Amino acid sequence: MKQKPSRGKGGKSRIDKKESKWAYIKKNYVLYLFLLPAVLLVFIFNYIPMYGVLIAFQDFSVTKGIFGSDWVGLDHFRSFLTSPNFIRIFMNTIKLSVYGLIIGFPVPIILALMLNQVRRMNIKKNIQLVIYAPHFISTVVIVGMLFIFLSPAGPINALITQFTGNPVSFLSDPAYFRTIFITSGIWQGAGFSSIVYVAALSNADPQLHDAATLDGASLLQRIWHIDVQVIKPIMAVLFILAIGGIMGVGFEKAYLLQTDMNIPASEIIDTYVYKRGLLAGDWSFGAAVGLFNTVIGLILLVIANTVVKRLNGETLY
Amino acid sequence: MARHSLINNSPVDRLILFVNKVLLVLIVLAVIVPIAYVLIGSFLKPNILLNQGISFNPDHWTLDGYRRIFEDGSIVRGFLNSVFYASGFTFVAVVFTVLAGYSLSVETLVGKKVITIFFLFAMFFNGGMIPTYLVVRNLGMLNTPWAIILPGAVGVWNIILTRTFFKGVPNELKEAAQIDGASDLKIFLSVILPLSKPIIFVIALFAFIGQWNSYFNAMIYLDDQSLYPLQLVLREILVQNEVPPGMIADQLARAEMQRIAEMIKYSSIVVASLPLMVMYPFFQKYFEKGVMVGSLK
């Protein structure tokens, strides 16, 4: 973020500048009052918890508070990293989000490129309207629908039993967890995520397509050399953001989809934090695991940003 | 649309375009069929639904699922709670965000850089679930609506969005008002606010929908069932398979109870999702607008 020097008074002395700053604040105090509520809420619900993360290095007890609790250094991190669960939970998190990203990221882009070929505007609008719909269904309802459709007595198993005779235990078999999670995610989100690409594509210069067609470019060549190039910058930014979000993968849905039996695939870091930290009251351990997760996420974000910048010249910050 | 000119496509291109159309039809069907299945299923008698699936025979239809939902209080109360939470959350989000976004859009604001960094840092780093929970707890907000309405209401991303929007307001408008001797407050109320309806609408829409559909904060912050928002009530019915006893109390046979519970799942999905499903088509253009403002940074 580049800013112009706030006021073009180059020749004045330092003190003058300071005074004029105070004068400015005094005169425009309303602007600062406007900022106050937002600053306050962000301070309370974002910054105080950042300070509260210190409990990750303590044996925090609610009665003693942050000041009175004993410090244990990196003990909680050590016990998490060396626990037999660690590798499994960590890999579950990574697999769920990386597979989800690889499979899910291109879908809205392809959808937008497909929609862009629809000539009749009203048809295009109507298709969009339909494919947005699942975005407005809540996570709880989506999971509820999955339970209905995939249960042993549900319609999908009714179809399967007609052919094979045996129902598939989709919801309890860990082998199906990721597929269900990712597929339902695409069903719910891909249409709505395509909005931004569709909008960018409709801003592309139509004369480019005409010129390319005259030069004998095929449809696929035009899509690749014109349409894809138009949306590349947006793809880059969204990709960086997606990488940054890898560690925060859809916890709300994962938790709902968890059954006692699919835990081997469905336990991810965030569900583990919730259960150990909040449900079992192991505050410090939960905070430590959460902090570990945040830090990995931040590192991934920075790496992705650097790589994309090198390749593409696009950057997030 | 003018972009497709009169120049003819080659046969291969026309084939691709045809396949494209077929695929789009299939995609639309893939979206509609599951939704339609639940909608139709919610009107079917439970034994029909479970034994033979979807039926269009009017003798097989019933409103029993809906009757049971509305006679029992839990879903209705959850619905009303959700209206309250989502409205409160949206109010806080819109007012706080727009005020802050406006101030940050003023080019000359002293300290703008520091305040912007203050907000941006909070976007990339957070304390996590446990420390945030402890803050809410220490503030005495557990088991109160505040725990749902306040945390997360001010989104940094939304502040940046509004700031970008306000930056697009021509400076001349503000300057003209300043020359007339208007105060900051007056400029904001009489010049800026009337122009910012689209951005207010976009933020309100996303805040309301987000809150309406979320369950997680309510799950960790609320114990008292009478405070439960709709999504938590739904979670009990759909995910935990615990239909409120009042809805099936008239049944004695366990098997029949289970069948009716299954039907109630369908109807409660419809009751919970219908409001947004009916409303979102009217707001379509605002979603597109909102997403575009966001992508411009």
Side-chain angles (χ1 to χ4, degrees):
Chain A
M1 243 150 297
K2 275 175 201 127
Q3 280 152 353
K4 286 168 213 145
S6 52
R7 289 185 152 186
K9 292 177 185 167
K12 295 215 167 181
S13 74
R14 240 189 190 176
I15 298 163
D16 258 11
K17 242 190 199 164
K18 226 174 195 170
E19 258 172 18
S20 72
K21 264 187 189 173
W22 281 117
Y24 178 90
I25 293 175
K26 232 179 187 172
K27 189 167 151 249
N28 299 285
Y29 69 96
V30 173
L31 292 179
Y32 295 89
L33 278 183
F34 280 5
L35 279 166
L36 192 64
V39 168
L40 217 60
L41 273 198
V42 169
F43 181 77
I44 293 174
F45 294 111
N46 294 68
Y47 279 86
I48 298 182
M50 285 183 213
Y51 165 74
V53 123
L54 285 179
I55 68 168
F57 306 95
Q58 295 182 328
D59 255 337
F60 178 74
S61 98
V62 179
T63 42
K64 288 183 190 162
I66 292 188
F67 294 107
S69 297
D70 301 325
W71 294 89
V72 296
L74 296 173
D75 275 7
H76 296 299
F77 294 89
R78 213 170 289 133
S79 76
F80 175 55
L81 293 176
T82 54
S83 82
N85 291 329
F86 169 70
I87 293 288
R88 187 170 53 83
I89 295 173
F90 185 72
M91 287 316 288
N92 279 346
T93 312
I94 297 281
K95 277 186 196 161
L96 193 61
S97 53
V98 170
Y99 293 168
L101 186 62
I102 293 171
I103 301 165
F105 190 79
V107 178
I109 299 169
I110 295 166
L111 208 50
L113 292 171
M114 289 170 72
L115 278 168
N116 196 43
Q117 295 303 326
V118 179
R119 301 174 187 206
R120 298 261 300 277
M121 271 316 262
N122 57 339
I123 293 184
K124 184 175 155 190
K125 282 270 171 245
N126 284 327
I127 298 177
Q128 283 183 288
L129 200 58
V130 171
I131 62 178
Y132 292 169
H135 175 81
F136 299 97
I137 299 175
S138 74
T139 314
V140 174
V141 168
I142 293 278
V143 172
M145 286 169 71
L146 286 170
F147 280 13
I148 287 177
F149 290 136
L150 299 175
S151 81
I156 291 183
N157 265 319
L159 266 179
I160 292 176
T161 35
Q162 291 215 332
F163 290 107
T164 67
N166 301 314
V168 180
S169 42
F170 289 109
L171 298 165
S172 47
D173 190 340
Y176 293 106
F177 175 77
R178 277 189 275 274
T179 313
I180 294 171
F181 186 97
I182 293 168
T183 314
S184 61
I186 291 175
W187 184 81
Q188 185 176 21
F192 198 76
S193 308
S194 71
I195 292 184
V196 58
Y197 296 113
V198 172
L201 282 171
S202 65
N203 290 335
D205 184 357
Q207 287 179 348
L208 278 176
H209 274 275
D210 290 348
T213 315
L214 277 178
D215 287 344
S218 72
L219 180 64
L220 290 182
Q221 280 173 322
R222 277 180 281 140
I223 290 175
W224 181 255
H225 290 288
I226 301 171
D227 292 346
V228 173
Q229 304 311 313
V230 167
I231 51 177
K232 237 185 183 172
I234 300 175
M235 277 164 59
V237 171
L238 291 182
F239 189 74
I240 302 171
L241 286 174
I243 298 272
I246 276 187
M247 301 307 287
V249 56
F251 159 64
E252 300 205 348
K253 195 165 93 185
Y255 183 67
L256 292 175
L257 271 176
Q258 255 182 14
T259 59
D260 290 337
M261 262 134 14
N262 67 19
I263 287 278
S266 64
E267 188 80 292
I268 57 175
I269 293 183
D270 277 329
T271 56
Y272 188 63
V273 170
Y274 172 64
K275 289 186 206 161
R276 284 293 302 269
L278 279 187
L279 291 185
D282 207 345
W283 310 105
S284 287
F285 185 79
V289 178
L291 179 61
F292 169 82
N293 204 25
T294 310
V295 171
I296 303 264
L298 266 184
I299 294 171
L300 286 175
L301 183 73
V302 173
I303 294 175
N305 195 41
T306 321
V307 171
V308 173
K309 194 177 180 179
R310 286 265 167 79
L311 292 176
N312 219 338
E314 291 295 327
T315 166
L316 193 58
Y317 42 83
Chain B
M1 205 155 57
R3 47 163 309 197
H4 292 279
S5 63
L6 300 167
I7 306 165
N8 275 323
N9 288 311
S10 73
V12 179
D13 290 357
R14 274 195 302 246
L15 178 68
I16 294 172
L17 285 173
F18 176 73
V19 172
N20 187 45
K21 276 176 200 153
V22 173
L23 286 177
L24 281 171
V25 170
L26 291 179
I27 290 170
V28 166
L29 283 177
V31 170
I32 290 180
V33 168
I35 297 176
Y37 186 91
V38 174
L39 182 65
I40 296 170
S42 73
F43 292 105
L44 286 176
K45 290 182 176 158
N47 53 337
I48 302 294
L49 179 64
L50 291 173
N51 296 331
Q52 64 176 74
I54 297 298
S55 155
F56 292 98
N57 180 349
D59 290 342
H60 295 161
W61 287 44
T62 175
L63 288 171
D64 195 42
Y66 292 98
R67 183 183 60 81
R68 289 172 187 275
I69 283 179
F70 286 109
E71 276 176 9
D72 180 79
S74 6
I75 286 204
V76 178
R77 192 179 51 209
F79 197 96
L80 295 176
N81 282 342
S82 280
V83 170
F84 173 68
Y85 296 143
S87 310
F89 183 85
T90 305
F91 179 80
V92 174
V94 166
V95 175
F96 289 15
T97 306
V98 168
L99 290 178
Y102 172 65
S103 284
L104 286 178
S105 78
V106 176
E107 278 296 331
T108 51
L109 188 81
V110 170
K112 191 173 70 167
K113 205 166 184 175
V114 180
I115 300 165
T116 307
I117 291 172
F118 172 84
F119 282 127
L120 280 180
F121 186 72
M123 186 155 90
F124 289 109
F125 197 81
N126 63 73
M129 189 192 302
I130 309 293
T132 310
Y133 176 86
L134 288 173
V135 169
V136 172
R137 181 194 155 113
N138 287 339
L139 289 169
M141 289 181 180
L142 284 190
N143 243 334
T144 70
W146 296 114
I148 309 299
I149 289 173
L150 290 182
V154 172
V156 172
W157 184 248
N158 283 340
I159 294 181
I160 295 171
L161 209 90
T162 34
R163 185 198 64 173
T164 312
F165 177 86
F166 285 131
K167 274 189 176 170
V169 175
N171 253 330
E172 291 78 33
L173 286 176
K174 275 189 258 174
E175 277 158 14
Q178 259 160 358
I179 292 167
D180 289 345
S183 64
D184 279 334
L185 187 63
K186 195 155 184 214
I187 294 176
F188 178 75
L189 290 177
S190 62
V191 180
I192 303 295
L193 215 47
L195 290 172
S196 44
K197 270 183 210 141
I199 193 76
I200 289 179
F201 207 75
V202 166
I203 291 178
L205 218 52
F206 281 100
F208 193 93
I209 292 169
Q211 183 59 47
W212 181 269
N213 278 342
S214 78
Y215 78 94
F216 185 69
N217 278 0
M219 180 177 81
I220 64 176
Y221 295 137
L222 303 177
D223 270 336
D224 189 347
Q225 292 223 347
S226 65
L227 290 174
Y228 276 11
L230 184 59
Q231 299 301 330
L232 268 194
V233 182
L234 283 175
R235 175 176 169 255
E236 291 184 331
I237 297 176
L238 297 175
V239 180
Q240 298 175 311
N241 216 354
E242 291 165 7
V243 169
M247 289 187 192
I248 44 176
D250 60 321
Q251 298 297 322
L252 295 172
R254 203 173 172 79
E256 188 58 19
M257 275 183 168
Q258 248 157 28
R259 269 202 289 272
I260 293 176
E262 202 58 29
M263 172 177 64
I264 286 171
K265 286 184 184 173
Y266 284 69
S267 346
S268 55
I269 287 180
V270 174
V271 170
S273 311
L274 202 64
L276 289 189
M277 284 290 129
V278 172
M279 285 186 316
Y280 87 85
F282 296 103
F283 303 134
Q284 189 177 5
K285 72 169 189 208
Y286 287 99
F287 295 121
E288 280 155 19
K289 208 175 250 167
V291 170
M292 281 325 276
V293 182
S295 71
L296 295 176
K297 281 208 270 190

